[in-house]
Amino acid sequence: MRRNPKIVTEAMQSYSFSRRAWLLGAAQAGVGVMLAGRMAWLSVAQNEHYSILSEKNRVDSTLIPPRRGWIVDRNGVPIANNRTDFRVDIIPDRLRDEDRVLVLLQQLLRLTPEDMARVRIDLDRAAGFQPVQVAERLDWDRFAAVSVRLPELPGVQPSRAFARHYPAGAAVAHLTGYVGVPNAEQFKATRDGLLVTPGFKLGKDGLEKALESRLRGKPGAKRVEVTARGKLVAELATKPDVPGKTAKLTIDAGLQEYAARRLGTNSGSAVVIDCRTGEMLCMVSVPAYDPNSFSDGISHLEWQMLSEDDHVPLMNKVTQGLYPPGSTVKPMNALALLDAGVAADQRINCTGAMRVGTGVFHCHKRGGHGPLDMKGAVAQSCDIYFYEMVRRLGYDRIAPVARTVGLGEKFELPFTTQRFGTVPDSAWKLRKYKDEWRVADSLNASIGQGYVLANPLQLAVMAARLASGRALQPSILADRVHRDAPALPYQSEHLQLVREAMWGVVNGGGTGGAARLLIPGVQIAAKTGTAQVRRITMAERRSGVLKNGQLPFKLRDHALFVCFAPADNPRYAAGVVLEHNGHTVRNLDTPLIGRDIMTYLLDRERALASLAEVEPTWGGDIATRMAATEAAYRAARNPPPAAAATKTDAVVPSDAPAVERATDLANQTQAALATNTVAEEGSTEGTERDE
């Protein structure tokens, strides 16, 4: 069927046009609104994002490592500070044509073949984002020579920064720790760009690590305008860094360095405490490493040398070393006896030996001391007196007093390496060994052997508490000193009697006569100690006990010393522990070392003069001896090139395998001695002492 054509009227045409025009206009308006909205979004909401991108195309920004806060002593003397450092690093990810770049750097920086071998090995081992140090401490001419030829050196980054410096070197190593380049694990954990900035270092050990948040500061930024090809156009305003805060210590830097030097060639430690406040005035562990060398980046060869040293220079012996305290506990034992009601004038006859059950327990003086009261027993360090008294009372009456004066105590100090030792009693042994406490255990403990263990800091605290009569808490940060310590819960008359007994050790014909001060009108009170590290068999005792000088280093007795001065008005207290010293060399033994350290605090010039007489006989000062040791080690080993590579793993001295091995060996030795009744075979206190 054919349809009639549709008749289009003018009205219909007008309507159709208007509708299409409206739809087209609406579409155009919609597009316009979208464009306007997008423009508004980009120009307002995304303004910062695109401004940053634009700025990055135009401006090259480089983080500036912040200047690290200083560590200063109680008088403001720097213990760790910063020095200006011109350095050159390579960023492996950006390095192109490695051989050509390294040859050019060798020419510009005048590097030795050994330097180049180290750089190549470090580049092979480094993560792509981890800067590899080429050279530091450069003079201006060499630094400028690299800077003007940067377009020819892709991946090379010269920078001016501030390097950490420890003026006293090894004398403060275990106090401050050191700073070093962050490792890959630290960067991956935080993704902080500062950690891969050339020249930035963070605390790796000691106070540098413990106080990292205080010392670090905030980075700055260096900004330069560049072309699309990276060519420098102009230097822009630099955002300055915010330096870290200064950390002030209670330490006396002069005393710290003096004590380290006075300990000489020993393996040992010394701690000095202010008897008024508990402030630590020095905390020395020797031998030690040079923190400047560690902060610069030591080689694998240096690490191996330190790890193999039988004096364990990687260990902080003040906090990580545990030792039988030997006879240094006898003044504390006397205080416990007085507190338990023992009369000070009650005498015990020392014949040189005492039979208990089937065992015979010896005094260090083979012929005996004869009748002794409490003061005489402390002064002469008589074993028999304390065997008998502690046998009567039981060690459970002594242990609480030992804990009160600081043994076995954990102190609130910014060190993560504290080991706390052991103050044993019957409940402790039952818990640990599922065994009953025996009389032999009490006799061992009465002379500071057996299960008793303490670190040098605890021994210094014990001396300070006995001297002051207060429960002083040691402190090392000047803003965290524990003032107004409470009094010890003991009668002042008892404490005074103990101090008089310690006075007699030095000034009344006791075992520490060599410690007598040479300062007119000033006297020192002290207690000597000797701790065995081997069994003395009855057969050896019958034939004659071998002297320490006849024994290998590791079998010699430890030498210990606690003291305070002036004796009549205590101001300073100290603890000195020398590993395997054996009392073999007079000017390297504890009495003279303790004497000179105390002398430094009371008459500095006299102490320095004393040191000047003896230090040359030990091979010179610390730095001289360390340099000679390293030279001899290198000559004996003739190390391969790989040994020069920079050590970059996360292991630090306090966690080193060498420290763990030394600790395990000491624990095994002590466990073996504790179960073999050391006291029965007798102590060696006084057999080689200096009078």
Side-chain angles (χ1 to χ4, degrees):
M1 181 180 178
R2 187 176 180 182
R3 294 183 179 177
N4 294 326
K6 187 175 182 180
I7 300 173
V8 179
T9 66
E10 185 177 348
M12 291 174 65
Q13 287 180 332
S14 177
Y15 172 76
S16 176
F17 178 79
S18 298
R19 184 177 62 180
R20 291 175 182 173
W22 183 86
L23 289 173
L24 182 59
Q28 290 175 332
V31 171
V33 170
M34 289 175 61
L35 289 173
R38 180 62 175 167
M39 291 177 65
W41 171 259
L42 294 174
S43 62
V44 179
Q46 294 290 296
N47 177 272
E48 182 178 0
H49 173 70
Y50 286 102
S51 294
I52 291 173
L53 290 179
S54 174
E55 188 73 2
K56 283 185 176 180
N57 288 333
R58 186 181 71 88
V59 176
D60 185 11
S61 182
T62 304
L63 286 177
I64 299 174
R67 286 164 289 177
R68 198 165 178 83
W70 286 22
I71 299 176
V72 301
D73 82 340
R74 62 192 300 109
N75 302 310
V77 176
I79 293 175
N81 57 13
N82 306 310
R83 52 175 171 72
T84 303
D85 181 32
F86 292 110
R87 57 182 294 123
V88 172
D89 297 272
I90 292 176
I91 310 300
D93 276 348
R94 303 176 187 173
L95 183 60
R96 301 291 181 271
D97 195 354
E98 178 178 322
D99 290 336
R100 184 187 63 80
V101 169
L102 291 181
V103 168
L104 184 53
L105 282 176
Q106 184 176 16
Q107 295 171 355
L108 295 174
L109 298 175
R110 299 190 290 278
L111 302 176
T112 66
E114 291 76 17
D115 292 332
M116 297 307 299
R118 192 261 311 162
V119 171
R120 288 183 183 277
I121 295 171
D122 288 354
L123 280 172
D124 290 340
R125 295 178 177 179
F129 52 78
Q130 189 174 19
V132 170
Q133 176 185 304
V134 178
E136 62 178 355
R137 303 185 189 179
L138 294 171
D139 56 58
W140 172 252
D141 290 340
R142 286 188 291 169
F143 179 77
V146 172
S147 299
V148 299
R149 300 188 66 172
L150 279 183
E152 304 172 53
L153 299 167
V156 174
Q157 188 159 333
S159 60
R160 177 182 177 181
F162 291 90
R164 204 59 159 168
H165 179 58
Y166 305 91
V172 299
H174 292 294
L175 170 66
T176 61
Y178 65 100
V179 297
V181 177
N183 55 48
E185 289 71 24
Q186 289 170 319
F187 173 72
K188 290 173 182 176
T190 62
R191 293 291 171 182
D192 184 351
L194 179 61
L195 271 61
V196 293
T197 300
F200 174 73
K201 295 179 180 179
L202 48 70
K204 292 282 190 174
D205 210 357
L207 290 177
E208 291 279 24
K209 180 179 180 181
L211 304 179
E212 175 66 23
S213 59
R214 180 190 300 195
L215 297 172
R216 179 181 293 191
K218 296 180 180 179
K222 178 182 179 182
R223 301 168 68 246
V224 294
E225 187 175 3
V226 294
T227 66
R229 294 181 178 272
K231 185 177 180 180
L232 177 65
V233 175
E235 291 192 8
L236 304 177
T238 297
K239 177 185 175 183
D241 65 297
V242 178
K245 297 179 180 177
T246 296
K248 186 175 184 179
L249 307 183
T250 61
I251 295 293
D252 181 324
L255 176 64
Q256 178 81 14
E257 186 170 2
Y258 180 85
R261 292 173 62 189
R262 186 59 188 84
L263 286 168
T265 57
N266 279 299
S267 172
S269 56
V271 180
V272 178
I273 294 177
D274 189 320
C275 290
R276 302 170 304 173
T277 61
E279 293 170 287
M280 295 171 63
L281 302 179
C282 86
M283 189 194 92
V284 176
S285 175
V286 298
Y289 56 88
D290 183 353
N292 292 301
S293 179
F294 266 64
S295 294
D296 293 343
I298 69 162
S299 67
H300 286 277
L301 179 69
E302 292 174 273
W303 179 263
Q304 182 180 350
M305 178 184 69
L306 293 168
S307 297
E308 293 176 358
D309 192 328
D310 63 0
H311 285 34
V312 199
L314 296 173
M315 174 186 279
N316 181 353
K317 298 176 179 68
V318 172
T319 58
Q320 291 181 288
L322 289 179
Y323 311 92
S327 296
T328 61
V329 298
K330 287 175 180 174
M332 177 276 297
N333 288 348
L335 180 62
L337 295 176
L338 291 168
D339 191 58
V342 174
D345 58 358
Q346 184 176 349
R347 292 177 177 268
I348 297 294
N349 184 39
C350 172
T351 61
M354 182 179 81
R355 180 173 292 278
V356 176
T358 60
V360 178
F361 293 79
H362 295 271
C363 185
H364 68 81
K365 187 173 183 180
R366 193 166 185 172
H369 292 97
L372 287 174
D373 62 8
M374 188 178 291
K375 283 186 182 180
V378 172
Q380 298 299 325
S381 200
C382 178
D383 295 333
I384 299 298
Y385 178 93
F386 290 100
Y387 289 161
E388 176 60 25
M389 286 299 185
V390 175
R391 183 188 67 79
R392 295 178 186 179
L393 291 178
Y395 198 74
D396 282 1
R397 299 290 294 273
I398 309 296
V401 180
R403 297 186 185 103
T404 301
V405 298
L407 301 188
E409 186 172 344
K410 177 182 179 180
F411 304 115
E412 294 182 7
L413 295 170
F415 297 103
T416 59
T417 56
Q418 282 192 73
R419 299 178 67 220
F420 316 122
T422 304
V423 176
D425 56 23
S426 56
W428 171 87
K429 187 178 180 184
L430 192 60
R431 276 195 317 272
K432 185 171 178 66
Y433 294 106
K434 305 296 187 290
D435 193 12
E436 297 293 329
W437 187 266
R438 307 180 192 283
V439 172
D441 297 326
S442 291
L443 302 190
N444 277 330
S446 73
I447 61 169
Q449 297 267 185
Y451 297 113
V452 186
L453 288 172
N455 66 37
L457 175 58
Q458 291 168 339
L459 295 180
V461 169
M462 176 180 71
R465 290 182 180 179
L466 292 175
S468 66
R470 294 187 294 139
L472 296 169
Q473 286 293 325
S475 55
I476 201 164
L477 299 178
D479 57 358
R480 297 183 189 176
V481 176
H482 307 282
R483 302 184 186 278
D484 302 319
L488 293 174
Y490 306 114
Q491 296 181 30
S492 58
E493 294 82 0
H494 293 171
L495 287 163
Q496 183 57 30
L497 188 143
V498 169
R499 294 181 197 118
E500 291 171 1
M502 293 179 71
W503 174 90
V505 170
V506 178
N507 307 285
T511 58
R516 191 175 293 111
L517 292 180
L518 302 179
I519 305 172
V522 183
Q523 295 178 322
I524 185 175
K527 183 67 192 80
T528 56
T530 304
Q532 291 172 242
V533 297
R534 69 184 186 98
R535 289 191 63 202
I536 301 175
T537 65
M538 292 303 295
E540 181 183 340
R541 188 168 289 280
R542 283 192 295 269
S543 62
V545 177
L546 292 174
K547 292 185 177 295
N548 280 284
Q550 300 171 285
L551 296 170
F553 172 72
K554 285 291 186 180
L555 295 182
R556 297 174 187 170
D557 299 334
H558 298 318
L560 307 97
F561 189 77
V562 295
C563 62
F564 57 83
D568 56 353
N569 184 22
R571 173 69 187 280
Y572 306 110
V576 179
V577 178
L578 305 179
E579 294 181 337
H580 310 294
N581 169 273
H583 310 293
T584 53
V585 180
R586 181 181 174 85
N587 63 29
L588 286 171
D589 201 1
T590 50
L592 290 182
I593 290 173
R595 179 200 72 180
D596 285 353
I597 288 175
M598 281 295 165
T599 300
Y600 181 91
L601 290 161
L602 302 168
D603 188 338
R604 184 169 303 188
E605 295 305 317
R606 190 185 298 269
L608 290 171
S610 176
L611 177 61
E613 290 180 7
V614 294
E615 192 172 44
T617 67
W618 308 328
D621 62 15
I622 297 173
T624 301
R625 296 199 306 270
M626 289 178 69
T629 299
E630 182 175 350
Y633 188 87
R634 286 180 181 275
R637 300 300 188 282
N638 190 22
T646 304
K647 178 183 173 295
T648 56
D649 59 61
V651 178
V652 298
S654 59
D655 299 327
V659 174
E660 293 299 320
R661 288 194 298 270
T663 300
D664 291 343
L665 178 61
N667 290 341
Q668 292 166 12
T669 300
Q670 189 60 22
L673 287 173
T675 56
N676 281 293
T677 58
V678 172
E680 184 172 345
E681 282 118 26
S683 78
T684 53
E685 174 71 21
T687 57
E688 296 172 78
R689 70 179 184 270
D690 289 309
E691 295 292 358

